[in-house]
Amino acid sequence: MAQANKQDVILRGLVCGGEVSLAVAETTQLVNDAIRIHGLSALSAAALGRTLTAAAYMCSSLKAERGALSVTVKGGGVGGNICVSGDAALHMRGYIDEPQAFLPPNARGKLDVGGCVGHEGTLTVVRDDGDDRPFVGTTPLVSGEIGEDFAAYFAQSEQLPTAVAVGVKIGKDGTCLGAGGVFMQPMPGAGEESFRFVDETIGKFANVSSLMEEGSAASVWAAYFGGEAMTARRPVYKCNCSRHYIEGLLAALGEGELRSILAERGKVEVHCHYCNTDYVFGPQDVEALLLARKGEEGAQRGTDE
Ligand SMILES: [Zn+2]
């Protein structure tokens, strides 16, 4: 329970005399929320948690206030696909097709995330910087271990070589004990020495989840890089669905389609994968929705005339 009072954070700043952009992320609560919402096995929690961590880092780089991005990892592993979305406010959400994936530990005695995700596939990022022309980048997966896959994505798709270490540690009781990541991106024009520093330093974070369990993002920053970060922002698990939003989707289906679903099943059900919530609309709810819709259309016609 020592983790209960710790808050997630993404620290960012410059190191190596301003030549390297550094981010240290602590995402233990984010992963615990995902475990609670989806009922994840240790392996599924590690795979989704690493992806949530890398995506939260990417969200912290979004330029516009209303920017958003989504990440899809399709690797053909036992866990199926992983989808994560987030926005510039660092409201994160995600799911993995198989929440109860299981594999024996890998050769190093660790959770076999590479086997869970698989590596015969792609990592796709759709990033909307708020100018309505989303950037879409896809790169082949390297190992399915997520960290290497994001590193390859940054280098190939965004031409921003970035060293990535992400990790999730799950306890015997199934909760996340520590999760986080370290991201180092040499700035344009960075010297050879800075690149060497990045290469040599990233290897120290193979156990980044244990570092977060024992300490914090701030203690990791101080111990490995010295000084303090320039910005600290808090990622949270938050879905953007609501009953009102779902009503809009249903209205778009049209009256005929809604009535035929009602006739067949007696109710209309919509499931949100991101927060594992079922929205149920009974016959009365659907009638009210259609009536409200007709009222809106009538009002619109009224103003047109
Ligand atoms: Zn939702």
Side-chain angles (χ1 to χ4, degrees):
M1 292 308 286
Q3 300 294 322
N5 54 0
K6 283 182 69 182
Q7 269 191 314
D8 285 350
V9 70
I10 298 178
L11 302 176
R12 297 189 67 129
L14 296 171
V15 293
C16 296
E19 291 195 345
V20 173
S21 170
L22 167 68
V24 179
E26 188 175 351
T27 53
T28 310
Q29 302 305 328
L30 200 58
V31 178
N32 270 322
D33 283 344
I35 291 171
R36 183 176 48 75
I37 289 165
H38 298 293
L40 301 173
S41 66
L43 186 61
S44 296
L48 177 57
R50 288 184 190 181
T51 311
L52 276 166
T53 302
Y57 160 70
M58 292 185 77
C59 282
S60 75
S61 321
L62 283 166
K63 290 177 200 102
E65 252 173 63
R66 52 192 199 90
L69 63 80
S70 66
V71 175
T72 307
V73 185
K74 290 186 184 187
V78 298
N81 299 341
I82 296 173
C83 296
V84 168
S85 292
D87 59 28
L90 304 191
H91 293 163
M92 307 302 302
R93 58 195 193 277
Y95 64 89
I96 178 166
D97 281 348
E98 180 46 70
Q100 284 291 319
F102 175 80
L103 285 172
N106 65 18
R108 291 176 294 122
K110 305 269 191 188
L111 288 167
D112 187 3
V113 174
C116 180
V117 173
H119 51 82
E120 303 289 326
T122 53
L123 186 155
T124 300
V125 175
V126 180
R127 195 186 69 220
D128 180 353
D129 275 313
D131 54 9
D132 298 327
R133 266 180 308 173
F135 168 86
V136 183
T138 297
T139 46
L141 293 173
V142 178
S143 63
E145 293 281 338
I146 301 298
E148 287 171 303
D149 304 305
F150 272 92
Y153 167 81
F154 285 121
Q156 293 167 33
S157 194
E158 304 210 359
Q159 278 85 49
L160 288 169
T162 308
V164 179
V166 285
V168 170
K169 185 173 177 181
I170 305 294
K172 288 203 163 59
D173 66 354
T175 63
C176 176
L177 302 176
V182 174
F183 306 83
M184 287 188 280
Q185 199 172 76
M187 307 287 280
E192 216 173 285
E193 218 171 293
S194 292
F195 277 92
R196 200 176 317 125
F197 173 80
V198 168
D199 284 344
E200 286 169 1
T201 311
I202 197 67
K204 296 177 181 172
F205 299 106
N207 63 339
V208 64
S209 58
S210 296
L211 296 176
M212 293 303 164
E213 180 191 13
E214 291 151 16
S216 65
S219 70
V220 167
W221 190 294
Y224 290 87
F225 303 99
E228 285 180 13
M230 295 192 305
T231 63
R233 299 192 48 214
R234 306 214 171 276
V236 290
Y237 197 108
K238 195 169 189 289
C239 192
N240 62 352
C241 74
S242 67
R243 197 167 172 89
H244 183 72
Y245 171 73
I246 302 292
E247 281 172 358
L249 295 183
L250 291 183
L253 277 181
E255 182 169 355
E257 179 68 20
L258 282 176
R259 287 201 190 285
S260 95
I261 297 171
L262 261 190
E264 201 178 306
R265 299 183 209 154
K267 61 189 172 184
V268 181
E269 276 183 295
V270 179
H271 182 73
C272 176
H273 287 287
Y274 284 107
C275 60
N276 209 13
T277 301
D278 285 309
Y279 291 92
V280 182
F281 296 83
Q284 285 179 336
D285 299 322
V286 173
E287 292 306 331
L289 195 152
L290 290 172
L291 207 63
R293 194 71 181 170
K294 277 176 188 159
E296 274 171 35
E297 281 168 8
Q300 267 169 11
R301 264 200 304 277
T303 49
D304 286 346
E305 279 161 8

